[in-house]
Amino acid sequence: MWLKTSCDLSFNIEVPTPFVLMLRPRSGAQQWIASEQYKLAPSVPAFEFTDGYGNLCQRLVAQPGDFSIHTRAEAKTADFLDQAPGAPFVEIQNLPDSVLNYLLPSRYCESDRFGQLALEITYGQYLGYDQVAAIENWLRNTISYTPGANDVQVTAIEINARQWGVCRDMAHLGIALCRSLSIPARMVVGYLYGLQPMDLHAWFEAYVGDRWYTFDATQPSLKGGYVSIGYGRDAADVAVYNQFGPGVYPSSQVISVEQIKESTVVN
């Protein structure tokens, strides 16, 4: 399907404030970005780089006063996500070098603390994709998805203890459980067509059967319409903006995802 995504952020800046943004989706195996718009108001010099996870990031310094960021993209993404029941576990010695980092505990995903629980959740499952599918199903049935309920970053251990969370939290717990079974898992942030309420979204991917597969326990079933912006070990790596100095928070944030006809796509 063809989707038009947009993200509008507005800030009131009191002192010159450095930002690192992550708001440009890039073409890859699961999506094709046909066109983009990226506007800063007022305009300031911006410099782009690629971080250690392959994400497109932009550096700038916002000056005092009103400052806004407007992004648009037209993307072709899958109508239905690939699923692969039975896809095998990949032995550690056969994993690509680029995937090894996603086996380790990280700031919000303490995978070294979830071995026993992961074994209980996945008991009797074929090693690999079926284990991750069991984790996703357990999350869906055990952790209450409460969008918009929490702005504070919490860890997988805390989510498991309190049994509720936002999309980011459910992804963190899913990642920790996968890694505890030596299955590489990473966090993804981006857009999801039809998400209610509409906002930026987070989900996770697991590496089985020699490729990455998408999992999202916040949705009743896997569907298409995902547009990825950033990948990382956890939320610390995939913030759509980081600012430095006195705290700055958006005065407004508007996210939109619309389905469009291919004939209207701007090439």
Side-chain angles (χ1 to χ4, degrees):
M1 70 177 69
W2 281 97
L3 298 174
K4 179 186 290 185
T5 67
S6 67
C7 176
D8 295 329
L9 299 171
S10 297
F11 301 88
N12 184 264
I13 306 297
E14 295 186 356
V15 298
T17 300
F19 277 84
V20 175
L21 309 176
M22 187 189 296
L23 286 167
R24 283 193 64 197
R26 64 186 307 168
S27 297
Q30 304 298 312
Q31 63 190 31
W32 174 257
I33 308 304
S35 66
E36 287 184 84
Q37 293 181 336
Y38 200 129
K39 297 180 180 179
L40 306 173
S43 180
V44 296
F47 306 89
E48 187 160 85
F49 67 96
T50 302
D51 70 9
Y53 304 99
N55 304 311
L56 295 176
C57 303
Q58 305 79 44
R59 298 177 61 178
L60 58 88
V61 178
Q63 299 303 312
D66 292 335
F67 178 67
S68 60
I69 305 161
H70 309 276
T71 70
R72 304 284 187 276
E74 293 183 343
K76 185 175 185 180
T77 186
D79 291 342
F80 301 96
L81 293 177
D82 290 345
Q83 301 182 51
F89 172 84
V90 181
E91 294 184 345
I92 306 302
Q93 61 269 30
N94 296 325
L95 288 169
D97 294 343
S98 61
V99 171
L100 295 176
N101 195 39
Y102 297 109
L103 287 169
L104 304 175
S106 58
R107 179 177 177 183
Y108 295 109
C109 301
E110 313 99 324
S111 51
D112 53 326
R113 304 286 295 277
F114 284 96
Q116 184 59 43
L117 177 59
L119 288 173
E120 293 172 2
I121 293 169
T122 62
Y123 179 78
Q125 300 294 329
Y126 184 68
L127 301 186
Y129 186 97
D130 293 2
Q131 289 179 299
V132 186
I135 289 170
E136 178 190 50
N137 190 57
W138 178 86
L139 289 167
R140 189 177 288 122
N141 293 322
T142 305
I143 308 300
S144 178
Y145 173 47
T146 53
N150 180 32
D151 290 330
V152 178
Q153 300 271 22
V154 291
T155 71
I157 288 176
E158 294 169 305
I159 295 304
N160 187 52
R162 76 183 190 187
Q163 300 279 288
W164 62 268
V166 297
C167 58
R168 172 193 66 228
D169 303 324
M170 298 182 77
H172 282 156
L173 184 49
I175 290 167
L177 289 163
C178 288
R179 291 180 188 167
S180 74
L181 298 172
S182 296
I183 296 174
R186 65 185 183 183
M187 188 170 213
V188 192
V189 67
Y191 304 96
L192 173 58
Y193 175 65
L195 181 68
Q196 294 294 332
M198 180 53 65
D199 202 343
L200 291 167
H201 191 51
W203 59 96
F204 75 96
E205 294 182 347
Y207 193 90
V208 292
D210 293 318
R211 56 160 287 189
W212 292 103
Y213 287 93
T214 295
F215 296 89
D216 185 356
T218 71
Q219 303 302 301
S221 61
L222 285 175
K223 57 182 180 179
Y226 288 82
V227 178
S228 304
I229 297 176
Y231 301 86
R233 294 165 300 175
D234 56 32
D237 296 328
V238 293
V240 296
Y241 76 88
N242 282 301
Q243 57 87 200
F244 303 88
V248 174
Y249 304 96
S251 56
S252 70
Q253 175 176 307
V254 180
I255 310 298
S256 174
V257 183
E258 303 174 13
Q259 187 171 7
I260 57 176
K261 295 181 179 179
E262 184 172 357
S263 60
T264 67
V265 174
V266 178
N267 291 306

